[in-house]
Amino acid sequence: MISEEQVRATLARYVELVGAGDMDGILALYAEDARVEDPVGKPAHVGIEAISRFYREGLGRLDATARLDGAIRATRGCGAVPFCVDLDWAGQARTIEVIDVMEFDADGRIRSMKAYWGEANMVARGQP
Amino acid sequence: MISEEQVRATLARYVELVGAGDMDGILALYAEDARVEDPVGKPAHVGIEAISRFYREGLGRLDATARLDGAIRATRGCGAVPFCVDLDWAGQARTIEVIDVMEFDADGRIRSMKAYWGEANMVARGQP
């Protein structure tokens, strides 16, 4: 099981890569058989090909940036990262407040990602 | 499945009750057959009696307060709440940075709670 420090570093790196729109970098963090629910409760994207489509057709088409929004909570093998995604949504500057919860495999790859956010977490930019 | 608004309100209420040290109030939020992992990865407390012991023997013996530490991320049936617990630990003022992830049953009771935090999330009071 990967260490708390490795979990913390990978979650920080993930937010950097989302902010940079680096699809290849994001996908390299995932295990081949990973599972992504974003937002949690929606049907999961299972396997790296489905996950690749999800990121490229979603985030990859947006002019989005991302930033940490508080301390990463990490322990051995899993963790939770609060962050904000800033983007234009139908011509309006919006921020989506997200917490991603990730579980890692023995190789340090993400095997499960669940993104917690709802309608009220999409706010006008600059508003709390 | 309970609404995003109900999830958000219950997560906010939970942090208030933790801050007030209101053990009865906290336990009333839980389903009889709920499961608590705090921190995540440790053996779970299963059922309301085990959960009651966990809170009364842990939080109940500490002079702790709690406060929200960012936006609650809620969707239908589940959510994640970032908060801080301020307490004295071996005579030193400490803050524990936590994210609790909760799933709710159809009656709006917590059926699963996982608390994400690690060693690096216990920080000296006032430090980030």
Side-chain angles (χ1 to χ4, degrees), chain A residues 16-117:
Chain A
E16 286 177 7
L17 291 166
V18 169
D22 183 343
M23 298 295 128
D24 292 339
I26 292 168
L27 292 166
L29 297 181
Y30 276 97
E32 284 290 316
D33 58 349
R35 181 184 172 90
V36 167
E37 267 183 62
D38 186 353
V40 63
K42 293 283 180 189
H45 308 279
V46 181
I48 197 69
E49 287 190 23
I51 293 169
S52 174
R53 279 196 301 276
F54 165 72
Y55 277 99
R56 294 184 195 283
E57 292 175 8
L59 186 64
R61 293 187 181 174
L62 296 167
D63 186 19
T65 58
R67 53 193 159 85
L68 279 176
D69 182 38
I72 293 171
R73 276 68 161 179
T75 186
R76 291 177 68 220
C78 64
V81 55
F83 65 105
C84 287
V85 177
D86 297 321
L87 73 176
D88 286 331
W89 191 272
Q92 298 197 307
R94 294 290 176 90
T95 292
I96 308 178
E97 305 157 335
V98 187
I99 289 177
D100 278 3
V101 174
M102 299 201 187
E103 296 176 7
F104 293 83
D105 66 16
D107 298 324
R109 297 267 172 92
I110 304 163
R111 65 179 172 88
S112 166
M113 187 276 261
K114 293 185 180 182
Y116 288 81
W117 61 281

Side-chain angles (χ1 to χ4, degrees), chain A residues 4-5 8 39-41 69-76 78-84 96-99 101-103 114 116-121, chain B residues 4-5 8 39-41 69-76 78-84 96-99 101-103 114 116-121:
Chain A
E4 178 177 325
E5 291 72 21
R8 185 178 308 276
V40 63
D69 182 38
I72 293 171
R73 276 68 161 179
T75 186
R76 291 177 68 220
C78 64
V81 55
F83 65 105
C84 287
I96 308 178
E97 305 157 335
V98 187
I99 289 177
V101 174
M102 299 201 187
E103 296 176 7
K114 293 185 180 182
Y116 288 81
W117 61 281
E119 287 180 21
N121 292 119
Chain B
E4 178 178 325
E5 291 71 22
R8 186 179 308 275
V40 63
D69 182 38
I72 294 171
R73 275 70 161 179
T75 187
R76 290 178 67 222
C78 64
V81 55
F83 65 106
C84 288
I96 307 178
E97 306 157 334
V98 185
I99 289 176
V101 174
M102 298 199 187
E103 296 176 7
K114 292 184 180 183
Y116 288 81
W117 61 281
E119 288 181 20
N121 292 119

Side-chain angles (χ1 to χ4, degrees), chain A residues 73, chain B residues 11-12 14-20 59 64-72 81-87 93-99 121 123-128:
Chain A
R73 276 68 161 179
Chain B
L11 293 178
Y14 175 81
V15 174
E16 286 176 9
L17 292 166
V18 170
L59 186 64
T65 58
R67 53 191 161 85
L68 279 177
D69 182 38
I72 294 171
V81 55
F83 65 106
C84 288
V85 178
D86 297 322
L87 74 176
R94 294 292 175 90
T95 292
I96 307 178
E97 306 157 334
V98 185
I99 289 176
N121 292 119
V123 297
R125 186 84 46 83
Q127 292 186 4

